[in-house]
Amino acid sequence: MPNMNMIQALNSALDIKLATDPDTLVFGEDVGYFGGVFRVTEGLQQKHGLTRCFDAPISEGGIVATAIGMGAYGLRPIIEIQFADYILPAYDQLVSEAARLRYRSNGEFWCPITVRSPYGGGIFGGQTHSQSPEAIFAHVTGLKTVIPSNPYDAKGLLLAAIEEDDPVIFLEPKRIYNGPFDGHYDKPLKTWAEHPAGDVPARHYTVPLGSAAVVRPGKEVTVLAYGTMVHVSAAAIKETGVDAELIDLRSIVPLDIDTVVASVKKTGRCVIVHEASRYGGFGAELSALIQERCFYHLRAPIERVCGWDTPYPHAFEWDYFPGPIRVGKALQHCAEAVA
Amino acid sequence: MSNRPPLRLRIPEPWARPGDAPDFSHVRVPPAGDVRRPDIADPEAGMRDLPYSLIRVLDEKHRAVGPWDPRLMPDVLRQGLRAMLLTRVFDDRMFRAHRQGKTSFYMRSLGEEAIGAAQALVMGREDMCFPTYRMLAWLMARDYPLLDLCNQIYSNERDPLRGRQLPILYSAREYGFYSLSGNVGSRFGHAVGWAMASAFKGDDKIAIGHVGEGTTAEGDFHEALTFASVYHAPVVLCVTNNQWAISSFSGIAGGNETTFAAKAIAYGIPGLRVDGNDFLAVFAATEWAAERARTNNGPTLIELFTYRAAGHSTSDDPTRYRPDEEARLWPLGDPLERLKSHLIAIGEWNEDRHAALTEELTETVKAASRQAEAVGTLGQSKPNVREMFEDVFHEPDWRILEQRREAGV
């Protein structure tokens, strides 16, 4: 199988859809001739033509609004918001329109759009190139939210998202576009070439939405993570020696609740890890669900390792980012807790 | 401090408030037939006078004059008259139904009926309208079933939107009428995207979108015009300038500084300003813009200059912010009366036929509303509660299935 980084895997998914489904098109800021600021759409305009992959005005609201209109017509638009930090001008379109169109029209109109957006920190992106807004979408009924953590899943999930008849927010952890990152910022960078999930089939395949992946089976603690934090958590598990079960959620909505519950019932302990700030973060929903469903199996309080409740800072990148040391401490604390 | 006078913050105020005599001295009404009609393929740069004029066809003697006369067959005029009259009769009935507690909410189109009626007849059956909540006349012109309208307004067991949506926020795909929502402006860009999709596919359909003048202040307005202009989308974008956004007059939306049609100039697209109470002018301007769109000459912005004769909604009392007599004295008159007078002037209508039609439509509306009331009014009847959980997604996820069980349905 060819080796791909996450950018190439995403590009491959888009290339396949443009080649096989004439109702798909790709647009967003700088995605056309230039191929995107992160190169995800590189070569697509040249290969598939000007109207299949084109540049948009700097207008997130306009990009999402026109995509919704195209979806109502019968197309399957795949749009890019350059940074998830800049998705907020389109929040009204996503919440009031995309998410509700099917419901309010009793199925007369629907919205099969995919909104791709690089997200997450660990890149010295400061306040507006680092945020993780998944919780503000998780709270919106009618939206699906997906976050891959490796090239194989990125391609399979993106193909599934494009083929999905509901609107999908597809968040791409930009810190791991080029290689897995475990939070050890002072160590040499790794590439996807050394990682098994860097083997990506050239053909079409899907990873279904709503299916979590057990990355590492374990008995002592369940660790719930997604995006870059899957790799950070894996490093923390290795370094602490705690026999933790690491679950990559992959979908925030729909959530693979069965996999989560089965794991926590087995281990009796749970640590939730995300980059987004803690208060009102998606970890709170996970924690509540587990408390409701696994209460009599829990042997320790559920712990959350998250970004702090501050805007994402620049100079304090590694003080903010929930790295392997913080995750490791929570793991040990949770594993050792005695009722 | 410098020697300059201190800065002053200006807050625009309308010309008259409750207790004042209505003042329309600011409204210029040029004679009918006065505005030139450029070729649909002309470049925008050569028509920048149009957004500052007012396209009018019907003169004081109710005759159609000038280059914008769409030369319609009497049958089309009578079709328009019927749609407008039906809208008005239906509005009256449903407004009273609200007062009787049969529904929670209603909004009338009073004074704006010419817009939906004319445009529904101009646009093709395959085209799509992205309406505001004051476009009932579109559905009336296309014979949408009155019973379905009543059922939707009563949110009863037969409500086509299954009790999920506020009264009058219709969705009628088969009638070229896109799903309405309460938040203003957010569908203006959908019209552009829909039109772009048609062009992308090499089809021949076009879109028409609407906002009120108050909503032009939303970012959605700017976004839609930018995208329409950049991609040369085959779309007709309309601003219904009815002078009032709930209690705020059009000056609060920027109407004192320029016309709403003139905003088109900055986007490089033609802007037409039209007497919105003149059925023929609305028809002709929309036809011109639709033809321009269909022939790959791009989008048009149309300002439909009219007056919101009723309150904003059943939750509004306009006597608290504007003179009582304003609507009656509006210089462009009443769209229904003007079309009726035109038909009479050309010998295609008379008072007796008008009275008979009014009677017929009143009976039709009464019958439909009674039939809907027999199904049930708000609180007396509703769709199965299971419907609350349907259509959130194309298939319900586990949360919805669980919650549906929890709700006992």
Side-chain angles (χ1 to χ4, degrees), chain B residues 50-287:
Chain B
L50 294 180
Y52 300 103
S53 54
L54 192 67
I55 296 169
R56 307 180 71 233
V57 173
L58 292 172
D59 68 11
E60 319 80 71
K61 291 177 184 150
H62 311 298
R63 296 282 174 173
V65 296
W68 287 93
D69 175 8
R71 299 173 189 282
L72 298 176
M73 301 298 284
D75 275 350
V76 177
L77 297 173
R78 281 188 290 261
Q79 228 182 321
L81 185 74
R82 185 180 196 279
M84 290 163 71
L85 187 54
L86 181 56
T87 303
R88 194 163 289 186
V89 168
F90 187 85
D91 271 355
D92 284 347
R93 180 92 190 177
M94 288 299 125
F95 190 78
R96 269 184 286 131
H98 170 265
R99 294 292 188 243
Q100 294 160 353
K102 292 173 184 167
T103 181
S104 65
F105 186 70
Y106 195 74
M107 296 174 102
R108 286 186 285 176
S109 305
L110 190 64
E112 301 174 34
E113 298 95 336
I115 297 165
Q119 293 187 329
L121 299 177
V122 173
M123 303 295 285
R125 306 299 295 197
E126 297 293 311
D127 298 331
M128 187 63 73
C129 173
F130 294 74
T132 66
Y133 41 62
R134 243 182 272 283
M135 285 285 288
L136 176 63
W138 175 287
L139 292 174
M140 294 308 195
R142 293 195 165 190
D143 293 321
Y144 186 85
L146 298 182
L147 179 58
D148 287 343
L149 289 176
C150 295
N151 287 337
Q152 198 280 333
I153 290 161
Y154 293 154
S155 287
N156 65 21
E157 197 191 336
R158 306 259 170 82
D159 174 0
L161 300 183
R162 316 314 294 142
R164 296 179 196 143
Q165 187 58 293
L166 266 180
I168 83 158
L169 298 182
Y170 314 114
S171 178
R173 186 172 192 139
E174 295 295 303
Y175 296 80
F177 193 91
Y178 189 68
S179 158
L180 274 164
S181 178
N183 45 327
V184 294
S186 52
R187 272 96 38 227
F188 215 40
H190 299 195
V192 177
W194 199 93
M196 287 171 69
S198 181
F200 171 84
K201 294 296 283 180
D203 292 345
D204 59 1
K205 304 170 202 172
I206 64 170
I208 184 166
H210 297 84
V211 290
E213 92 284 349
T215 300
T216 62
E218 293 279 7
D220 303 83
F221 177 75
H222 167 66
E223 291 163 3
L225 283 162
T226 300
F227 278 68
S229 166
V230 167
Y231 300 111
H232 223 57
V235 63
V236 182
L237 294 171
C238 303
V239 177
T240 303
N241 177 6
N242 67 12
Q243 315 304 316
W244 292 94
I246 307 185
S247 74
S248 65
F249 86 117
S250 61
I252 293 292
N256 281 5
E257 320 312 314
T258 186
T259 69
F260 293 97
K263 303 206 179 227
I265 294 173
Y267 298 91
I269 69 176
L272 305 180
R273 192 159 169 271
V274 180
D275 177 347
N277 290 12
D278 180 339
F279 178 88
L280 296 174
V282 175
F283 195 106
T286 310
E287 195 175 40

Side-chain angles (χ1 to χ4, degrees), chain A residues 84 87-88 91 95 131-141 143 145 280-282:
Chain A
I87 210 163
L88 297 176
Y91 197 53
V95 176
Q131 292 172 79
S132 299
E134 67 275 10
I136 67 172
F137 297 114
H139 191 60
V140 179
T141 53
L143 291 181
T145 301
F282 188 64

